[in-house]
Amino acid sequence: MDKQIKKEVISILVDNQANVLTRVSSLFGRRGFNIDSLTVSATNDPKLSRITVVFTGTEQGLHQIITQTSKLEVVKKIFTLNAGNSIYRELLLLKVKTDKSERSAIKEIVEIYRGKIVDLSKNSMIIELTGASEKLDGFMDMMSCYDIVEVCRTGITGIGRDIPEDL
């Protein structure tokens, strides 16, 4: 029996209606899974929403939660997003306390990471950065020597590179 813990990213297409997110997320909680990241968004079909869930568990546990989630009547399709065949992205908004003397150094770091300064005031900057989680983690490490006021991260969203045959 495989007891090795691994991270899984799944994409769930669900009915776009009230209480669907609660039903899906509570299923994870009842089964003892901690959700590491959760994003929900509209799709090109107004009847459907996409839920992207990142969680960890054993191979057996992962298979069990995917099987149980797919049985919910609000779930239309469920896909495992494999790292080698999918694109993952995350959004970061970061507010940094700054003065004139630090602005150019911060701007240089932001440019290296291909971020944007989306707001500037006399004593702060708000920076926007998108990319893989590792990129955002590296950026946060570089910014740790500055006075970080607030951080907001969306969590992972992802999409498979291939077009499933059943679409």
Side-chain angles (χ1 to χ4, degrees):
M1 185 110 4
D2 184 14
K3 295 291 182 187
Q4 184 178 1
I5 303 292
K6 73 175 222 177
K7 182 183 281 192
E8 191 76 65
V9 180
I10 60 171
S11 182
I12 311 167
L13 292 175
V14 296
D15 289 332
N16 186 12
Q17 63 187 37
N19 295 321
V20 171
L21 178 59
T22 302
R23 293 184 66 195
V24 172
S25 63
S26 67
L27 177 67
F28 280 75
R30 286 193 312 268
R31 300 296 183 262
F33 285 91
N34 183 46
I35 295 174
D36 300 322
S37 172
L38 178 83
T39 61
V40 183
S41 63
T43 67
N44 55 323
D45 181 346
K47 296 180 209 153
L48 297 175
S49 292
R50 177 181 307 275
I51 301 173
T52 305
V53 184
V54 181
F55 59 102
T56 53
T58 63
E59 190 69 39
Q60 179 184 3
L62 297 172
H63 177 72
Q64 177 189 26
I65 195 68
I66 290 169
T67 301
Q68 291 175 353
T69 303
S70 67
K71 290 179 183 177
L72 293 172
E73 69 274 0
V74 295
V75 173
K76 301 307 169 201
K77 290 194 187 299
I78 188 166
F79 305 92
T80 301
L81 296 176
N82 300 317
N85 201 26
S86 301
I87 304 293
Y88 303 147
R89 290 295 181 263
E90 190 174 353
L91 169 68
L92 165 75
L93 293 174
L94 175 71
K95 187 187 299 181
V96 182
K97 186 176 178 182
T98 184
D99 57 29
K100 281 183 180 180
S101 65
E102 297 173 318
R103 285 188 191 135
S104 62
I106 292 172
K107 183 178 183 242
E108 191 173 311
I109 295 169
V110 170
E111 287 173 355
I112 289 169
Y113 280 88
R114 295 187 179 147
K116 295 179 191 172
I117 298 170
V118 294
D119 188 69
L120 178 63
S121 68
K122 290 180 182 179
N123 62 2
S124 71
M125 290 178 142
I126 298 177
I127 301 160
E128 173 187 310
L129 183 66
T130 60
S133 296
E134 297 79 16
K135 174 183 173 181
L136 275 58
D137 292 341
F139 177 75
M140 288 298 297
D141 187 47
M142 290 298 298
M143 295 300 295
S144 65
C145 59
Y146 296 99
D147 189 2
I148 295 173
V149 177
E150 208 171 339
V151 177
C152 184
R153 288 178 79 157
T154 61
I156 293 172
T157 191
I159 193 165
R161 294 175 192 256
D162 295 332
I163 298 175
E165 291 181 22
D166 59 348
L167 283 183

